[in-house]
Amino acid sequence: MLSQKLQDALNEQINKELQSEYIYLSMEAYMLENDLDGVANFFHVQTQEEHFHAMKLYNFVIDRGGKVVLKKLDAPPVDFKSVIDVYEQTLAHEQFITKSINDLMDIAIKEGDHAVISFLKWYVDEQVEEEANVTKILSKLKLIGGEGHGMLMIDSELALRVFTPPAAA
Ligand SMILES: [Fe+2]
Ligand SMILES: [Fe+2]
C-alpha cells in the first residue's frame, strides 16, 4: 500500500499535470486567435501529453490500491504578449514541474518505496525532453524575433507534431 504522504503527493502531481493541460489549452486558443495554426497544433499535442501524464499517475495510484482525489484547477493565463512570451511561460512552467517531480522522488526515496521510485523515473526522463524541446523552440523564436517569414517557417514545422503515446507506458 502507498503511504498517506505519498498518496497525497501523487494526487498533487495528478492535479499539476491536469493544470498543465489546462494552461496549454489556453495557449492553444491564443495561437488559433492569431492564426498560428501550426503553433496551436504544438500546444494541442502538449495538452494530450499532459493528459497522458495525469492518467498514468491516476492509474498507478489505483494499481497500488490507493485513492485518486481530484482537486480544483486554477484559471489558466489568457493575456499573452507574444509567441515568445508564451514559450517563456511554457519553459518556466516545465521547470516548475521538473522541481515538483524531483520533490516527489525525494519523498519516495525517503520512504524507500521502490515501486514509486521506479515509476517516477519515467517522469524524470520525460521532463528532460520537455525542457529540451521548449528550449530549442524558444531559441529559434528569439533568433527570428518571433515574426515575419521565419515565424511562418516555425509555424509550418510545428504543424507536423503528432501525439504518440509511449508504447510501454
Ligand atoms: Fe507533464
Ligand atoms: Fe509538460
Side-chain angles (χ1 to χ4, degrees), residues 17 24 46 50 53 94 127 130:
E17 300 295 346
Y24 295 141
Q46 205 65 17
E50 300 305 347
H53 297 167
E94 289 301 333
Q127 281 312 114
E130 289 268 71

Side-chain angles (χ1 to χ4, degrees), residues 152-164:
L152 285 179
M153 284 180 70
I154 291 179
D155 189 60
S156 306
E157 191 187 314
L158 296 180
L160 304 175
R161 188 182 188 208
V162 283
F163 174 65
T164 36

Side-chain angles (χ1 to χ4, degrees), residues 20 35 49 51 71 87 124 137 140 155 160-161 169:
S20 303
D35 298 318
E49 286 202 352
H51 191 76
K71 295 160 202 300
Y87 274 90
V124 171
I137 296 167
K140 287 185 187 177
D155 189 60
L160 304 175
R161 188 182 188 208

Side-chain angles (χ1 to χ4, degrees), residues 36-46 158-162:
L36 290 167
D37 293 0
V39 193
N41 175 65
F42 170 91
F43 283 102
H44 186 68
V45 172
Q46 205 65 17
L158 296 180
L160 304 175
R161 188 182 188 208
V162 283

Side-chain angles (χ1 to χ4, degrees), residues 34-107:
N34 287 282
D35 298 318
L36 290 167
D37 293 0
V39 193
N41 175 65
F42 170 91
F43 283 102
H44 186 68
V45 172
Q46 205 65 17
T47 68
Q48 291 173 298
E49 286 202 352
E50 300 305 347
H51 191 76
F52 178 85
H53 297 167
M55 292 311 294
K56 190 173 158 71
L57 281 152
Y58 175 112
N59 288 316
F60 180 77
V61 170
I62 301 285
D63 285 348
R64 287 293 304 276
K67 180 157 180 62
V68 169
V69 182
L70 297 178
K71 295 160 202 300
K72 198 167 138 243
L73 295 175
D74 295 326
V78 280
D79 295 318
F80 303 106
K81 284 188 292 222
S82 62
V83 183
I84 290 177
D85 177 41
V86 171
Y87 274 90
E88 275 171 344
Q89 290 194 38
T90 299
L91 182 58
H93 182 70
E94 289 301 333
Q95 287 165 343
F96 162 75
I97 295 295
T98 299
K99 162 108 177 60
S100 174
I101 295 290
N102 285 341
D103 291 346
L104 192 48
M105 183 64 108
D106 285 344
I107 300 172

